[in-house]
Amino acid sequence: MDPDPDTPRLNHDGWAVVSRILWWDPGDHGRNPSATPYTEIVVSRDPSLPRGALESVDLAVAEVHDLQEEETRRRLYGVLESPGRPPILLLTAAEPDNMRFLCHIPVDDVAWTSETVREVVVRGIRLMNGNEGKRVAEYFLRSCSDPGTIEPVVTRLFLNPKPPTKVQDLARSCFVDRRTLERKWIAAWSGSPPLPLKALVDWALLLGARDLSEAGIGPRRIAKELGIHKRTLDRIAGRLVGLSSRGWFTLKSRAAWRAVVIGLWGDSEKSRVSSRI
């Protein structure tokens, strides 16, 4: 049986582990990043990430100095396109030949090889603390066959501090009627859309509520800020993640993200992520 991902562990220096970082160095550039207080760093120099390597980490640092090599870019794309993946920080050289490839690689942030390991880790920790809504929006935009059509939808739902509470409100904010928006949403995907718009609105409210909670706002005020009743928020939390709203707010970040991955992309998501790496 796998250990509970939220059970406290100690790193090699005796600090309680809060965050786990995978440092992927397929080119074997020789850095040996060591654990920092509250952070565990695991180094992999395998050209292809081992199966399941991303499942139990909060961040992956991809140390790829030269982006000109097609095979290297292919491996990097394979990692970046994995749904439900943690944030990816690309560590690369600030060279002109790299820059022309960099704008086409959808990493979450970039660090430069001139930076120290400590500077890279600090940048990564800031990235880990980004909200889940942004990660969900970026995944939908990457995976949709017509991202231009759905961009207004995911922007208003997942990048807005106060998302629409109903599909008709979402449609109005996109300047179309509900039926037109639903038709556009379905047509934008090469197959069936991952979720109907009603479920997407509920997920946006649940993630927005978690952001407000992390800002120190209480459950009743959160519901008021979102424009819904607290019992509605409780029903949404119960339906989507099987918890009360308070239970959802107190869930640790890794467990919360796993709940999002399973809820949005299905119970088989963990095995699909592993098989695609």
Side-chain angles (χ1 to χ4, degrees):
M1 180 180 294
D2 293 336
D4 183 342
D6 293 320
T7 299
R9 293 176 20 177
L10 300 181
N11 65 23
H12 294 305
D13 295 323
W15 294 91
V17 172
V18 174
S19 303
R20 295 183 177 91
I21 297 174
L22 173 67
W23 194 292
W24 180 42
D25 180 14
D28 194 8
H29 294 99
R31 294 202 198 206
N32 292 294
S34 57
T36 63
Y38 311 115
T39 302
E40 179 182 60
I41 301 178
V42 178
V43 179
S44 172
R45 307 191 194 280
D46 194 319
S48 297
L49 273 180
R51 185 181 181 88
L54 298 178
E55 291 178 3
S56 60
V57 298
D58 303 288
L59 172 80
V61 175
E63 184 168 0
V64 181
H65 292 202
D66 186 359
L67 297 174
Q68 298 178 74
E69 297 178 7
E70 184 176 353
E71 179 62 19
T72 298
R73 294 198 308 275
R74 187 191 66 78
R75 292 192 184 110
L76 184 57
Y77 277 122
V79 174
L80 290 168
E81 292 173 358
S82 298
R85 63 166 175 77
I88 306 290
L89 175 65
L90 175 63
L91 175 59
T92 191
E95 300 291 343
D97 288 337
N98 263 357
M99 297 304 178
R100 64 191 180 96
F101 295 105
L102 193 57
C103 62
H104 302 295
I105 300 176
V107 291
D108 300 282
D109 201 355
V110 178
W112 308 114
T113 52
S114 57
E115 298 181 66
T116 66
V117 168
R118 186 178 185 282
E119 289 171 326
V120 174
V121 170
V122 168
R123 189 189 296 268
I125 289 172
R126 287 200 301 267
L127 181 59
M128 280 189 281
N129 293 331
N131 67 63
E132 290 92 350
K134 179 181 177 183
R135 294 167 68 183
V136 170
E138 289 173 346
Y139 170 75
F140 279 131
L141 291 172
R142 287 197 308 270
S143 59
C144 181
S145 55
D146 184 6
T149 295
I150 73 162
E151 184 174 7
V153 173
V154 298
T155 297
R156 285 163 174 78
L157 286 177
F158 297 105
L159 303 180
N160 186 342
K162 189 175 181 180
T165 61
K166 298 177 181 178
V167 176
Q168 51 263 42
D169 296 334
L170 173 62
R172 191 177 303 115
S173 72
C174 294
F175 307 106
V176 295
D177 60 47
R178 174 173 178 160
R179 184 171 297 179
T180 299
L181 184 67
E182 289 176 334
R183 186 174 65 250
K184 286 178 175 289
W185 173 254
I186 293 170
W189 299 87
S190 56
S192 299
L195 289 175
L197 286 176
K198 174 61 172 69
L200 205 67
V201 168
D202 286 347
W203 272 107
L205 289 169
L206 193 65
L207 293 173
R210 185 172 171 85
D211 288 342
L212 291 171
S213 174
E214 290 177 348
I217 301 175
R220 292 192 180 278
R221 188 180 157 201
I222 287 172
K224 185 177 180 180
E225 290 281 336
L226 293 173
I228 58 178
H229 293 291
K230 183 180 179 298
R231 61 178 177 272
T232 301
L233 183 57
D234 277 325
R235 283 200 298 269
I236 292 173
R239 184 167 63 251
L240 298 184
V241 294
L243 298 168
S244 66
S245 59
R246 190 176 294 276
W248 167 244
F249 299 150
T250 57
L251 207 60
K252 292 184 179 180
S253 60
R254 190 180 304 110
W257 181 240
R258 287 186 177 187
V260 173
V261 169
I262 291 171
L264 284 173
W265 299 298
D267 293 328
S268 62
E269 184 54 41
K270 180 181 286 190
S271 62
R272 290 194 300 152
V273 170
S274 299
S275 66
R276 292 181 61 175
I277 296 173

